[in-house]
Amino acid sequence: NLREIVDIYLHHNKLEGTLPDSLSKLPYLRNLRLNDNNLSGTIPADFDSLTRLEYLYLHNNLLEGTIPDELGALTTLFRLRMYGNSLRGTIPRGICHLRDLYLEELEADCDGIRPGIECTCCTACF
């Protein structure tokens, strides 16, 4: 049963297109590593349904838009990497609050001459 998938490791695969809505229908997903591809579009707000997610690696893609507030509902999130994209705006307060719970690593494009992300709680800025 595909709904029981726990780990998706598809990094460094030259994937193109947007993040599929079907990812949010994987209730047991703990690891989603889609970094270092050519994925575009936005981060889906319905990723908040991934209530067991621990690792979300979206870095080094072509993602744009803002970071959904809904990601702050991912209370089991341990590592979140979003740098190397064209994301903009402010890291939502709910995600920063996760730093007080379980979130050990939060990395975004919040440094440099023209940072795209404003972040007061990131553990690393690029």
Side-chain angles (χ1 to χ4, degrees), residues 63-116:
L63 299 172
E64 55 191 12
T66 58
I67 298 163
D69 291 334
E70 290 83 355
L71 293 186
L74 299 177
T75 58
T76 59
L77 202 57
F78 185 64
R79 292 200 170 124
L80 176 56
R81 296 179 180 171
M82 300 176 289
Y83 61 87
N85 286 291
S86 295
L87 297 169
R88 65 185 186 288
T90 302
I91 296 286
R93 187 175 302 146
I95 293 176
C96 286
H97 286 302
L98 294 177
R99 294 273 298 124
D100 297 329
L101 298 172
Y102 194 57
L103 187 62
E104 179 179 282
E105 186 178 282
L106 175 57
E107 300 176 350
D109 290 318
C110 47
D111 197 10
I113 296 171
R114 292 176 36 194

Side-chain angles (χ1 to χ4, degrees), residues 6-20:
V6 173
D7 301 305
I8 295 178
Y9 294 95
L10 292 173
H11 51 291
H12 298 280
N13 274 292
K14 299 180 184 176
L15 298 176
E16 296 181 352
T18 59
L19 296 169

Side-chain angles (χ1 to χ4, degrees), residues 21-84:
D21 293 334
S22 56
L23 287 174
S24 64
K25 294 173 178 52
L26 300 173
Y28 299 101
L29 192 63
R30 288 181 313 138
N31 292 292
L32 181 55
R33 300 182 189 209
L34 299 173
N35 53 291
D36 297 288
N37 283 296
N38 294 309
L39 297 170
S40 57
T42 60
I43 299 172
D46 60 0
F47 271 18
D48 67 342
S49 65
L50 300 174
T51 57
R52 295 182 177 162
L53 196 64
E54 296 176 7
Y55 298 89
L56 180 55
Y57 289 1
L58 299 174
H59 54 287
N60 296 325
N61 276 292
L62 304 170
L63 299 172
E64 55 191 12
T66 58
I67 298 163
D69 291 334
E70 290 83 355
L71 293 186
L74 299 177
T75 58
T76 59
L77 202 57
F78 185 64
R79 292 200 170 124
L80 176 56
R81 296 179 180 171
M82 300 176 289
Y83 61 87

